[in-house]
Amino acid sequence: MRAGSNLENVLRSGAFAVTGELGPPKSGDMEVVRKKARILKGHVDAVNITDCQTAIVRMSSLTAGLIALSEGVEPIMQMTCRDRNRIGMQADILGASALGIKNLLCLTGDHQKFGNHPQAKGVFDMDSIQLLQMVKGMRDDKRFQCGEEIKTGEPRLFLGCAANPFADPFEFRPVRLAKKADAGADFVQTQIIYNIEKFEKFMEMVRDLGVHERCFILAGVTPPKSLGMARYMKKFVPGLDVTDDVIQRLQDAKDQKEEGIDICVDIIRRVREIPGVAGIHVMAIEWEEAVPEIVKRAGLSERPAMQGGEPVLASASSIKEAVEKARKDGRIELEGELEKVKAEAHASRDLLAKEKQKVASEISGLKKQIEEARSMVSRKEAEIGRLTKELQKAKETVVEAGRRGSPVGETTQPALQVRSEGVTSGASCALSHREQQVLSSLNKGLVALKEVLGLSDAQFEAVRRFLEAEFMLQFSTSVRQTMEAPPEGGHLAEEIEPAAEVSAVVPAPEAETVEVEEKPQRPKEVVNLVAQGSVALHSKDYGKAVKAFKKALEIAPDDKKAQEGLEEARNALAKEKEAADKAVKPKEVQGLPPCPDEIDSEEWKRKWVIRFTAMGNVALMKGDYEAAKKEFQKALELDPACEKARAGLHRSENGQDIFVPDVMAEGAVPAPAEEDKEVEEKTQGPAVEKPDREKPAPALEAEEAPAEEVSRSESKVEISAPSGEGVIELDVAPLPKDEPPLEERARGIPEEIYKEPCSGVIQSVTIGDGDKAITVGGESALPFYAFEGEIPNLPRTAFEVLDSAPGEWPECLLRHYADVINDSAAWARKCVNEFGAQAICLSLDSTDPNGANVSSADAAQVARKVIEAVDVPIILWGCGNAEKDTETLREVTSLVENRNICIGPLTDANYRTLGATAMAFQYPVVAATPIDVNLAKQLNILLENLGVHLDHILMDPSIGAVGYGLEYTYSVMERIRLAALTQQDEKLSPPIICNLGREVWKAKETRLPTDAELGDQEKRGVLMEAITASTLLLAGGELAVMRHPKAINLTNVLVEGML
Amino acid sequence: MIIAERKPMKELLEMVSNVRRLLVVGCRGCVAVCSAGGDKEVSILSAALRLGVKKAGGEIEIDQDTLVRQCDPEYIDPLNDRASKYDAVLSMACGVGVNFVADRCPDVNVLPALNTTFYGANLSSGEWKEMCAGCGACVLHLTGGLCPVARCAKSLSNGPCGGSQGGKCEINPDVDCVWQKIYDRLSGMDRKEELRQIMPIRDWTTSGHGGPRRRIREDLLP
């Protein structure tokens, strides 16, 4: 044994050792180390405590090692040569050894360049091999590096080193390890192994050198926490060989962490098979939690019992235990003291009661004497009266005698006067003198009593005061009533009477005495009752006092004394109650305060159960689970069947907050469990708000999803599918609304930061008649920027209907109209009735002189039919030949003059004639220009000059489908819109119409059949059309002319979802 | 050879900001060879300083001279007599020269124009590399003539650390791992067994950690 460390014991016993790694924190927070140590405890034989790994300043290895040791985890202190010279290192080694560190891993250390202090001066006084030599010399030769002897207490350390089998030159690596073994390494931990083949080769060479026989080899492993980490290690950590296989496994894994652990376990299993491997070193960098799992899965969770670790520091749990114990002991002691004091108080109270009784009997004796004295006094008064009379008589006699001429009387008179005065005054104060005598003798008796009974001053004072009061009272009210025995102290005497309170009430009876004497007209009964009340008051029987005063007031409602007394008694009662309430806390261990007389004990108990439960709930609300737990436990002690308390206890133990019901009155009790459940559901409510909106999949997703998912929708439109291809679901579920609104989400941010309101307004143009008319435009904000301004009208879609059977429509589009293609009116009706068209755009394609060249008159007839067939707004779209269009559209207008149709396209070639027509009928017109802001503006100006108002113009800037110049269209439209809104360019303010269906459905992508690469043709076409439409609406389009019903639905849903 | 490089102009201009009359003195020793402080560099620097000071709105008179060496008394001592004409002397020698002037010329306010960087060799025109640390305890016979003290980032004595990869040092892919080179060289000479020997812990007193170094040869003393 070199050091007798646990690791050494395990390794020498031949067991397969497991070591872990603990990175100290970048702070002085001891808890971090303790926590990590506790995670690793019992799962590893020892733990490396890194020494400022990657040259980043952290808590020192020695300190963190000691903390780990205190938690029962054996540390392997790491020591690098980077930061200390031989003086500092040897000093730390001595200190570590003194404090119970038994393993030392000797490293050169990462270069300071990699750390957070790259400007530091690297010390590198020696390298790791020389460090091993030095420590070995200290341990085995008991000499410092300089050769000086270590006289006592040489460091006993089990020495380790590191080896990197994957660094270059590979052939030298085993040699270098052999050097380390020679220098004194008892064990070695390798760099993280992923490339097992290479490690096997390394081990073979190591075995050839016989190193495995001199030195225990622990294979280093690390669970890759994520693909990112593995890639990082592969790329950036020098000397770390992460294999492609590992990367691949992580890439394919569903749960990368799980896979990381599995990879690590697989590596452990494999390296364990390699001869010479004595253990593993698991480095779960900032992922200590993974270690127990890895060890378990690798079948290594049975760790030998720890030997040799004697912590110098106390562990957190042992400190806690000690504190708890001291606290408990203290409490027991205090409780004992309290009991003792209470017993004493009880004893003295009993004594006091006895004394009171004794004194009371004495008083009654004294009363008799007083009575006698009184009667004597009255007798004397009578005598005095008689004497006065005699004196008077004598005077008269004298006067008479004087009158007769004798001067003698003159001298006697004054003398007699003086005397008589003396007698009267003597008579009036003889009573109080007598009283005082009685009192003083009473006092003397009491003092004697005090000495005999050994009463304290306070007790004595209380007795004395009491008697005094009693005496005065009895005396002043003629002592008629039989004095009631002094109230049994009972529960009220629980508290020792504060002397101050007693003395405070003393003056009252004195004043009362005077008053009673002055107001003899008060009914005797009242006086007696008041006196009773006062006595009860003084003996602190407030309940009785209240009763007495009340009775007195019944007889004499105006009696001031009784009123005052009642008030005082009530106040005192309230105070007492308050004191009792307050007393609950300190008395919590002793059970309940005594039950008042007027309540039976069961009732009292129930009240307290409610009270404790309520207090527990209050604590729960505050989040003080410990306190809550105590309260609930107390409630349960009183009533183990209390459901509410039990539920509360459960919550407090699980750290659940209580939900506060609307009313939480005192005594109102915690919500029962069922109620809670409901409440929980309620609180979860906001998360699943508007389930009806969220349930259906969002539009585009639905489109991409297989049809069966969408087909759940209820109002399904049946479409006759002529071919055997999959039926497309036309309906689109609405989008969830943007909730909560922006104002709410942006609360706290000043509006001007996110709002950039526009100063211009787009014209609003109305097409159609009656309630089916649609208005587009009118907004004062950029498309869909509803938070910046008004968007009174939604962008709209129109179904395109042709005036003749379409020649080039792909089948997947055509089949939706297959039954009506030869009848434009029916077609339009189908669009309205079946697909819910908001508007119809009738394309008069057949009039094209380069195509079918149908005559204007015939075309006009078709148009008339269509217009008459439906009541939604109609847009008549010519063939694009200016001349022919003029002719045709004029023809139509003559047929349908009373309908507000929209006609177009008007170009610079025919705007005059058509503009004039439109103006005559007040038709809105489509002003078409070839993708150019200036041309668009110019045409608007020309039309305006002609007399067409801007609110009768829809601009067609010419558009391209996605993939066919959409971005060009987009930027032109955007510029038009910005000019109108932000530069108030009125000439560009008309709304924009986008005839996009024709553009999309002539694109090659919509025409190529379904195949594996491009997918379903119809879906493709629909998406192209919907995306083109939504993009153009985002650029500023207000009216989109489209073809496929599904694409139109998608677009409408998007618009409604966004506005 | 001692390798040096001129300090940044900004630093030099600050250094001479209060100087009205300046003498720029070069050295025809090492710094001339490594193109840091010879005749040519003295001219360039003088011109640059004149321009720089003028541009900053200052005034300066600059004279220039280049000594044979600035590390021998006979070339330096005359500076004492010339010093009264100048507010400062800007030495374009290595740190040795600056120190020597300061030591021997009490009246001369000597300023350094160069940062002295290392003992190195000229790999090719414009490239120099550190080869020696002047540690005073040469081990080159053990390492195939390649110095681990000067050329290993951690000055390791016993072979490459775990950061050696593909012949390069982990601190910078432009830096060769000298231990890889040593290993290759000794392997080529069939001497790699020597690397099994543990090189004992070093005595750094000779490398300056024992205080400023000095060498005396009795036989040459005057």
Side-chain angles (χ1 to χ4, degrees):
Chain A
M1 279 293 154
R2 304 233 197 261
S5 72
N6 184 51
L7 178 62
E8 185 175 8
N9 282 319
V10 171
L11 286 169
R12 292 204 193 283
S13 74
F16 194 71
V18 180
T19 55
E21 190 146 310
L22 190 160
K26 289 164 82 173
S27 73
D29 187 352
M30 184 185 222
E31 254 328 293
V32 178
V33 184
R34 287 199 191 277
K35 215 170 128 194
K36 287 184 177 181
R38 282 198 288 267
I39 294 170
L40 296 170
K41 185 178 178 178
H43 302 289
V44 293
D45 301 313
V47 170
N48 285 28
I49 314 292
T50 54
D51 180 11
C52 299
Q53 77 261 32
T54 62
I56 287 168
V57 177
R58 290 167 184 278
M59 186 187 287
S60 73
S61 176
L62 170 54
T63 317
L66 290 173
I67 296 167
L69 184 56
S70 76
E71 290 295 333
V73 172
E74 180 170 276
I76 299 169
M77 175 176 161
Q78 293 194 357
M79 179 170 272
T80 68
C81 302
R82 176 190 60 233
D83 309 324
R84 277 153 297 189
N85 63 16
R86 61 195 77 181
I87 301 170
M89 289 164 102
Q90 289 182 96
D92 280 353
I93 287 165
L94 292 179
S97 176
L99 291 173
I101 303 271
K102 291 182 176 171
N103 306 300
L104 186 77
L105 192 80
C106 300
L107 303 165
T108 302
D110 296 315
H111 195 271
Q112 63 273 15
K113 187 218 164 200
F114 297 104
N116 55 359
H117 292 75
Q119 307 86 350
K121 183 174 183 182
V123 178
F124 301 113
D125 187 12
M126 64 190 93
D127 62 24
S128 55
I129 293 174
Q130 293 159 345
L131 172 59
L132 282 164
Q133 261 186 338
M134 179 176 84
V135 191
K136 185 175 192 274
M138 290 171 82
R139 180 188 67 194
D140 296 346
D141 306 336
K142 301 184 187 179
R143 290 197 180 276
F144 288 112
Q145 190 272 325
C146 61
E148 192 184 311
E149 194 188 350
I150 304 173
K151 294 219 169 74
T152 55
E154 78 282 0
R156 303 303 310 172
L157 292 164
F158 191 54
L159 296 178
C161 66
N164 186 355
F166 309 105
D168 291 326
F170 180 59
E171 312 75 45
F172 185 67
R173 291 292 149 186
V175 177
R176 191 162 143 88
L177 178 55
K179 283 176 86 167
K180 289 186 172 183
D182 292 345
D186 300 311
F187 69 98
V188 56
Q189 293 169 326
T190 73
Q191 172 65 291
I192 301 164
I193 297 163
Y194 287 114
N195 187 342
I196 297 172
E197 286 73 29
K198 198 164 184 185
F199 179 63
E200 274 168 344
K201 243 179 260 167
F202 170 81
M203 282 304 292
E204 202 180 316
M205 292 192 282
V206 167
R207 287 195 300 272
D208 288 346
L209 292 168
V211 178
H212 64 302
E213 281 156 11
R214 287 181 283 152
C215 179
F216 298 103
I217 296 167
L218 281 73
V221 293
T222 283
K225 202 171 181 178
S226 64
L227 180 61
M229 173 189 170
R231 281 189 172 142
Y232 178 85
M233 290 196 293
K234 186 180 175 73
K235 264 192 180 169
F236 298 111
V237 181
L240 220 167
D241 189 352
V242 183
T243 58
D244 292 334
D245 173 52
V246 169
I247 303 276
Q248 193 59 47
R249 273 182 74 173
L250 286 168
Q251 217 156 21
D252 297 344
K254 270 190 186 157
D255 183 341
Q256 293 188 355
K257 282 189 171 183
E258 253 326 273
E259 187 64 22
I261 291 179
D262 280 341
I263 288 171
C264 186
V265 171
D266 289 348
I267 293 168
I268 293 173
R269 292 227 171 91
R270 289 186 61 189
V271 296
R272 220 182 148 172
E273 301 300 315
I274 302 172
V277 174
I280 48 156
H281 175 52
V282 187
M283 289 165 272
I285 300 151
E286 289 304 317
W287 193 21
E288 285 80 3
E289 301 83 355
V291 174
E293 187 59 27
I294 291 168
V295 172
K296 193 176 129 203
R297 287 195 205 170
L300 294 166
S301 46
E302 292 287 315
R303 303 314 316 149
M306 186 169 152
Q307 335 173 10
E310 278 302 319
V312 176
L313 301 176
S315 73
S317 61
S318 68
I319 290 172
K320 210 172 150 194
E321 257 170 48
V323 169
E324 277 304 311
K325 190 173 176 294
R327 210 174 265 165
K328 215 168 136 193
D329 291 350
R331 190 179 295 155
I332 288 166
E333 202 177 308
L334 275 176
E335 275 167 21
E337 287 280 316
L338 200 64
E339 282 303 319
K340 236 199 289 180
V341 170
K342 253 171 79 184
E344 277 174 22
H346 276 277
S348 61
R349 191 193 59 201
D350 293 347
L351 205 64
L352 201 65
K354 266 186 217 158
E355 285 311 309
K356 269 184 187 168
Q357 239 164 348
K358 220 194 258 173
V359 170
S361 62
E362 273 181 38
I363 284 172
S364 60
L366 288 170
K367 269 182 214 155
K368 272 179 203 154
Q369 284 182 21
I370 292 164
E371 200 62 25
E372 279 167 25
R374 272 213 184 142
S375 56
M376 204 172 76
V377 168
S378 52
R379 271 205 306 279
K380 283 224 165 135
E381 267 175 352
E383 207 176 332
I384 286 166
R386 192 174 49 78
L387 285 173
T388 319
K389 270 182 201 153
E390 276 175 28
L391 205 61
Q392 197 65 35
K393 240 185 234 165
K395 236 190 213 171
E396 279 165 17
T397 331
V398 171
V399 171
E400 218 172 308
R403 237 187 268 142
R404 286 179 203 144
S406 163
V408 182
E410 292 209 44
T411 46
T412 40
Q413 196 187 18
L416 271 171
Q417 255 174 350
V418 168
R419 192 170 167 254
S420 85
E421 269 166 29
V423 169
T424 11
S425 68
S428 67
C429 63
L431 214 55
S432 62
H433 179 66
R434 185 61 191 249
E435 262 177 82
Q436 273 161 6
Q437 266 184 341
V438 172
L439 274 175
S440 73
S441 64
L442 210 59
N443 271 343
K444 273 179 199 155
L446 280 172
V447 170
L449 216 60
K450 181 193 170 196
E451 271 165 20
V452 171
L453 296 169
L455 293 176
S456 72
D457 283 345
Q459 286 168 331
F460 171 68
E461 180 69 3
V463 172
R464 194 185 66 76
R465 295 264 185 194
F466 179 78
L467 288 174
E468 209 168 72
E470 199 93 321
F471 171 70
M472 299 298 265
L473 209 65
Q474 302 280 342
F475 179 74
S476 60
T477 53
S478 310
V479 206
R480 208 192 50 141
Q481 78 275 32
T482 45
M483 194 166 123
E484 284 169 79
E488 280 304 321
H491 51 266
L492 286 175
E494 275 276 335
E495 290 128 310
I496 295 161
E497 304 177 355
E501 215 177 294
V502 178
S503 57
V505 295
V506 166
E510 280 168 4
E512 195 180 329
T513 321
V514 178
E515 259 181 66
V516 169
E517 276 178 343
E518 278 171 7
K519 291 183 184 170
Q521 66 269 37
R522 280 171 78 202
K524 272 259 167 75
E525 262 176 316
V526 174
V527 173
N528 286 345
L529 283 168
V530 169
Q532 267 176 32
S534 300
V535 169
L537 197 59
H538 302 145
S539 47
K540 296 199 183 296
D541 190 351
Y542 303 120
K544 200 184 260 180
V546 169
K547 273 184 206 160
F549 286 127
K550 269 188 184 163
K551 256 190 207 164
L553 283 174
E554 268 166 31
I555 299 162
D558 294 325
D559 193 285
K560 230 174 147 192
K561 267 328 302 174
Q563 282 169 350
E564 283 169 4
L566 182 61
E567 198 179 0
E568 193 181 342
R570 275 185 177 151
N571 286 343
L573 207 58
K575 226 187 253 172
E576 187 190 44
K577 204 176 159 206
E578 202 179 277
D581 287 356
K582 265 188 209 158
V584 169
K585 271 231 164 125
K587 278 180 194 165
E588 57 192 9
V589 241
Q590 304 164 31
L592 301 185
C595 168
D597 289 342
E598 58 270 23
I599 299 172
D600 73 36
S601 61
E602 270 310 300
E603 167 84 351
W604 184 240
K605 209 168 96 181
R606 218 166 44 244
K607 278 187 180 217
W608 278 95
V609 170
I610 292 169
R611 178 177 211 104
F612 283 137
T613 317
M615 278 160 80
N617 283 322
V618 169
L620 260 190
M621 278 191 290
K622 287 180 187 159
D624 187 353
Y625 299 116
E626 269 311 301
K629 204 171 134 187
K630 271 189 205 158
E631 296 297 340
F632 289 127
Q633 277 168 348
K634 275 192 263 176
L636 284 173
E637 257 170 53
L638 289 174
D639 179 10
C642 179
E643 279 300 321
K644 294 157 183 178
R646 183 155 310 144
L649 181 64
H650 181 71
R651 266 196 301 273
S652 66
E653 275 165 354
N654 295 334
Q656 286 172 272
D657 271 334
I658 187 185
F659 179 81
V660 190
D662 288 351
V663 187
M664 184 77 192
E666 227 235 298
V669 226
E674 303 83 21
E675 208 174 305
D676 272 7
K677 228 180 267 168
E678 207 181 290
V679 162
E680 264 160 42
E681 275 165 20
K682 258 191 231 160
T683 46
Q684 280 167 4
V688 281
E689 214 177 11
K690 301 197 177 62
D692 50 329
R693 280 185 191 282
E694 294 215 358
K695 202 164 49 193
L700 287 174
E701 229 175 275
E703 178 55 37
E704 278 165 350
E708 63 262 24
E709 222 204 276
V710 191
S711 64
R712 266 188 277 128
S713 221
E714 286 157 39
S715 51
K716 187 171 154 186
V717 179
E718 289 294 330
I719 298 160
S720 51
S723 74
E725 278 189 31
V727 180
I728 191 160
E729 171 59 67
L730 293 183
D731 263 19
V732 180
L735 285 178
K737 274 279 182 198
D738 196 10
E739 303 266 0
L742 180 75
E743 295 82 64
E744 214 166 285
R745 280 179 285 144
R747 184 175 298 145
I749 304 170
E751 267 191 5
E752 60 265 28
I753 287 181
Y754 64 89
K755 282 194 184 173
E756 209 177 334
C758 300
S759 42
V761 180
I762 301 301
Q763 305 288 338
S764 35
V765 177
T766 303
I767 317 170
D769 313 275
D771 55 356
K772 290 285 167 64
I774 59 170
T775 302
V776 293
E779 65 264 33
S780 58
L782 287 170
F784 300 101
Y785 276 35
F787 64 95
E788 278 189 354
E790 291 294 318
I791 301 191
N793 303 305
L794 298 185
R796 300 288 190 158
T797 49
F799 275 71
E800 185 175 8
V801 172
L802 303 195
D803 62 342
S804 57
E808 290 187 331
W809 287 21
E811 206 275 326
C812 63
L813 169 63
L814 195 59
R815 65 191 172 102
H816 296 289
Y817 308 106
D819 48 342
V820 291
I821 44 165
N822 291 314
D823 181 350
S824 302
W827 186 344
R829 264 199 301 274
K830 181 172 185 179
C831 289
V832 174
N833 298 337
E834 218 165 283
F835 302 141
Q838 299 168 345
I840 298 290
C841 175
L842 178 64
S843 292
L844 302 167
D845 282 5
S846 64
T847 60
D848 189 346
N850 299 322
N853 200 11
V854 172
S855 76
S856 296
D858 290 349
Q861 283 303 329
V862 173
R864 185 178 58 85
K865 276 184 199 154
V866 171
I867 292 164
E868 283 166 1
V870 293
D871 51 0
V872 298
I874 303 283
I875 301 152
L876 282 182
W877 202 283
C879 62
N881 180 303
E883 238 168 89
K884 185 70 179 277
D885 283 348
T886 312
E887 202 181 317
T888 312
L889 293 172
R890 273 184 158 177
E891 196 79 36
V892 178
T893 51
S894 64
L895 291 175
V896 288
E897 54 195 50
N898 57 345
R899 289 286 294 274
N900 185 23
I901 58 170
C902 172
I903 57 169
L906 273 68
T907 63
D908 57 351
N910 63 4
Y911 77 93
R912 276 178 183 280
T913 43
L914 274 180
T917 311
M919 218 168 54
F921 293 98
Q922 288 293 303
Y923 289 158
V925 297
V926 174
T929 47
I931 318 192
D932 188 287
V933 180
N934 290 323
L935 292 181
K937 184 172 173 177
Q938 196 189 354
L939 185 55
N940 287 347
I941 293 169
L942 292 172
L943 280 168
E944 211 183 12
N945 290 345
L946 196 68
V948 180
H949 287 296
L950 288 173
D951 62 4
H952 275 70
I953 299 175
L954 290 167
M955 282 191 282
D956 170 22
S958 301
I959 61 100
V962 57
Y964 291 84
L966 177 72
E967 55 282 356
Y968 191 14
T969 314
Y970 188 100
S971 75
V972 168
M973 283 170 64
E974 193 179 39
R975 277 155 62 206
I976 290 174
R977 187 45 51 94
L978 284 171
L981 285 177
T982 64
Q983 293 157 21
Q984 302 98 44
D985 191 340
E986 209 195 358
K987 309 294 181 214
L988 285 171
S989 66
I992 298 172
I993 182 170
C994 304
N995 197 343
L996 61 98
R998 55 173 65 192
E999 301 296 327
V1000 171
W1001 291 99
K1002 78 180 178 203
K1004 191 171 120 198
E1005 285 78 357
T1006 58
R1007 288 163 181 259
L1008 291 171
T1010 300
D1011 67 31
E1013 205 175 333
L1014 285 168
D1016 182 67
Q1017 185 190 3
E1018 181 166 19
K1019 199 179 278 184
R1020 196 193 308 144
V1022 166
L1023 278 181
M1024 275 188 74
E1025 191 174 20
I1027 287 172
T1028 303
S1030 49
T1031 308
L1032 293 177
L1033 296 189
L1034 283 170
E1038 268 95 3
L1039 186 53
V1041 179
M1042 301 169 69
R1043 284 184 176 170
H1044 196 290
K1046 171 84 179 192
I1048 291 173
N1049 283 347
L1050 280 168
T1051 308
N1052 288 340
V1053 160
L1054 182 74
V1055 167
E1056 279 152 24
M1058 285 176 70
L1059 285 173
Chain B
M1 165 180 61
I2 293 175
I3 311 300
E5 63 187 357
R6 203 192 65 207
K7 281 181 176 287
M9 274 312 288
K10 193 167 172 263
E11 193 182 339
L12 289 170
L13 284 168
E14 273 168 29
M15 215 184 274
V16 301
S17 60
N18 291 322
V19 176
R20 290 289 308 278
R21 289 165 304 160
L22 180 72
L23 177 62
V24 178
V25 186
C27 171
R28 292 201 180 105
C30 310
V31 292
V33 182
C34 71
S35 305
D39 293 82
K40 192 176 160 198
E41 288 75 29
V42 167
S43 297
I44 293 169
L45 178 62
S46 301
L49 284 176
R50 278 186 206 104
L51 282 172
V53 171
K54 200 167 182 187
K55 196 178 161 214
E59 259 181 70
I60 195 162
E61 276 174 45
I62 299 179
D63 288 342
Q64 57 192 68
D65 194 359
T66 307
L67 308 181
V68 175
R69 279 195 296 280
Q70 289 191 27
C71 48
D72 274 317
E74 61 263 39
Y75 305 116
I76 283 183
D77 289 348
L79 280 179
N80 261 329
D81 303 331
R82 298 167 68 184
S84 58
K85 286 164 64 186
Y86 302 103
D87 299 328
V89 170
L90 184 61
S91 167
M92 290 196 83
C94 66
V96 175
V98 180
N99 271 274
F100 209 36
V101 173
D103 263 1
R104 295 196 65 95
C105 311
D107 300 329
V108 175
N109 174 20
V110 66
L111 304 171
L114 307 183
N115 287 324
T116 309
T117 44
F118 51 80
Y119 308 153
N122 192 356
L123 297 191
S124 62
S125 179
E127 186 184 0
W128 296 270
K129 195 165 158 189
E130 184 169 17
M131 297 285 174
C132 174
C135 72
C138 202
V139 292
L140 292 173
H141 58 294
L142 302 174
T143 57
L146 301 167
C147 181
V149 179
R151 300 174 67 178
C152 168
K154 301 177 189 171
S155 297
L156 297 183
S157 302
N158 283 290
C161 72
S164 172
Q165 205 82 49
K168 296 296 176 186
C169 174
E170 65 177 2
I171 66 154
N172 188 339
D174 294 338
V175 176
D176 292 328
C177 172
V178 76
W179 273 107
Q180 173 78 52
K181 290 187 119 177
I182 292 169
Y183 179 80
D184 291 345
R185 192 163 155 80
L186 291 183
S187 299
M189 295 190 292
D190 211 14
R191 282 173 58 197
K192 71 177 174 191
E193 278 307 302
E194 290 176 20
L195 290 177
R196 287 212 53 174
Q197 295 298 316
I198 295 178
M199 202 185 284
I201 191 165
R202 289 180 62 92
D203 175 355
W204 293 104
T205 47
T206 54
S207 79
H209 295 278
R213 288 168 285 180
R214 191 171 170 214
R215 178 175 164 245
I216 290 171
R217 256 186 78 171
E218 301 283 351
D219 56 329
L220 295 178
L221 285 176

